[in-house]
Amino acid sequence: MRSPFLYLVPAALLLLAGCTTPLRFAVDAINNPSQPMGRSYVILPGDPDVAVNDLRFQEAARYAEAALAGHGFFRVGDPEQADMVITLDAAVGEPQSVTRSESRPMYIETGGYYRQVTRPVRGRDGQITYVTSTIWSPPRNHYVGSYEATDTVLVYEKRFSLTAFSNGAGQVERLPQLWSVVVLNRDTNSDMRQYLPLMAAVASDYIDSNTGRQVVVSMKADDPRVQVLRESVSGSPRSEG
């Protein structure tokens, strides 16, 4: 699924220098309420080329586990004991060149000259004399309008996707689907690890729900939900079983 919108704000500045600036995410969630669902699960890579013991997958899986715990789901090590099989896809795509147009202010510089100023000065004898001095008036910038500027930038699509299947015999893709949530972000930042806590927190709000369409949501890097996930992951690391 491709995102229909571009987020062209420099995300590195948002995450590192402006925690109060929200980031935007596209979310598409769907569920199957008629299918019975348990609470225990095992988590597997959604990409068949990614191994379960891949370190980046394991890190993303810990954030997914923390997000799922808020809904009463718990992870088990033995697939035979799991009610669900959940696949996780957390990755960043290849850079894409896009064109951005925006209105920018235009200024002109005026001033920068010397001028004569005469001031009254009272002497020790009480008499007032007038003294003339030369002072410098610095240049000033004046707004004169705006212009349209076009830039070409590289953007990266980041994806965090969870899909739950009812556990049973056979290949995962043939098992009955229970629910699926896909979170996308597209901007100039390619560091998926920075986005994992945010995207997992966004996904958590839509697990086992149906948005009816793709919706756009905002979340700040210092959102309390993000902090809870970070603390959960750093406080209880898990190994793959």
Side-chain angles (χ1 to χ4, degrees), residues 18-95:
C19 289
T20 59
T21 304
L23 292 172
R24 302 177 72 195
F25 301 89
V27 183
D28 193 346
I30 192 170
N31 65 350
N32 182 4
S34 64
Q35 186 70 33
M37 179 178 58
R39 290 295 166 183
S40 61
Y41 67 90
V42 292
I43 191 165
L44 301 174
D47 185 346
D49 294 329
V50 175
V52 175
N53 59 358
D54 181 275
L55 291 178
R56 296 185 185 278
F57 168 75
Q58 290 185 16
E59 181 179 34
R62 288 193 291 271
Y63 280 107
E65 179 182 0
L68 289 160
H71 294 264
F73 299 124
F74 59 94
R75 188 176 177 183
V76 296
D78 185 357
E80 294 185 0
Q81 301 299 318
D83 299 318
M84 297 181 292
V85 176
I86 296 179
T87 60
L88 166 64
D89 182 14
V92 58
E94 295 295 323

Side-chain angles (χ1 to χ4, degrees), residues 2 8 10 12 28 46 50 52 63 66 69 92-93 128 132 154 162 169 183 190 218 229 233:
R2 309 301 295 177
L8 301 176
D28 193 346
V50 175
V52 175
Y63 280 107
V92 58
I128 295 178
T132 299
L154 292 179
L162 293 170
V183 180
S190 63
S218 299
L229 288 187
V233 169

Side-chain angles (χ1 to χ4, degrees), residues 94-175:
E94 295 295 323
Q96 302 176 26
S97 179
V98 298
T99 300
R100 170 183 62 183
S101 296
E102 64 179 4
S103 180
R104 295 178 181 174
M106 183 166 55
Y107 300 87
I108 61 171
E109 186 179 276
T110 61
Y113 58 90
Y114 291 96
R115 59 192 177 94
Q116 301 289 325
V117 176
T118 301
R119 295 187 177 93
V121 177
R122 185 183 297 275
R124 293 183 178 179
D125 58 0
Q127 298 296 318
I128 295 178
T129 59
Y130 290 88
V131 178
T132 299
S133 59
T134 301
I135 63 173
W136 168 252
S137 293
R140 295 183 179 180
N141 289 324
H142 297 274
Y143 174 75
V144 295
S146 60
Y147 67 98
E148 291 296 316
T150 301
D151 297 322
T152 299
V153 296
L154 292 179
V155 297
Y156 302 83
E157 184 173 87
K158 293 165 287 293
R159 176 185 180 92
F160 188 92
S161 172
L162 293 170
T163 302
F165 301 84
S166 181
N167 198 9
Q171 297 179 339
V172 171
E173 59 270 17
R174 296 182 179 179
L175 298 176

Side-chain angles (χ1 to χ4, degrees), residues 126-237:
Q127 298 296 318
I128 295 178
T129 59
Y130 290 88
V131 178
T132 299
S133 59
T134 301
I135 63 173
W136 168 252
S137 293
R140 295 183 179 180
N141 289 324
H142 297 274
Y143 174 75
V144 295
S146 60
Y147 67 98
E148 291 296 316
T150 301
D151 297 322
T152 299
V153 296
L154 292 179
V155 297
Y156 302 83
E157 184 173 87
K158 293 165 287 293
R159 176 185 180 92
F160 188 92
S161 172
L162 293 170
T163 302
F165 301 84
S166 181
N167 198 9
Q171 297 179 339
V172 171
E173 59 270 17
R174 296 182 179 179
L175 298 176
Q177 282 196 18
L178 301 172
W179 51 263
S180 177
V181 56
V182 178
V183 180
L184 301 175
N185 169 273
R186 184 182 289 187
D187 58 26
T188 57
N189 194 331
S190 63
D191 191 347
M192 182 66 188
R193 296 184 71 186
Q194 279 187 313
Y195 282 73
L196 278 176
L198 284 92
M199 300 184 83
V202 171
S204 180
D205 289 342
Y206 295 91
I207 288 173
D208 191 24
S209 67
N210 193 336
T211 57
R213 58 183 176 85
Q214 189 178 73
V215 297
V216 178
V217 300
S218 299
M219 183 169 289
K220 299 178 181 179
D222 59 354
D223 187 285
R225 291 168 293 180
V226 179
Q227 300 300 329
V228 168
L229 288 187
R230 285 197 179 105
E231 293 171 4
S232 176
V233 169
S234 62
S236 57

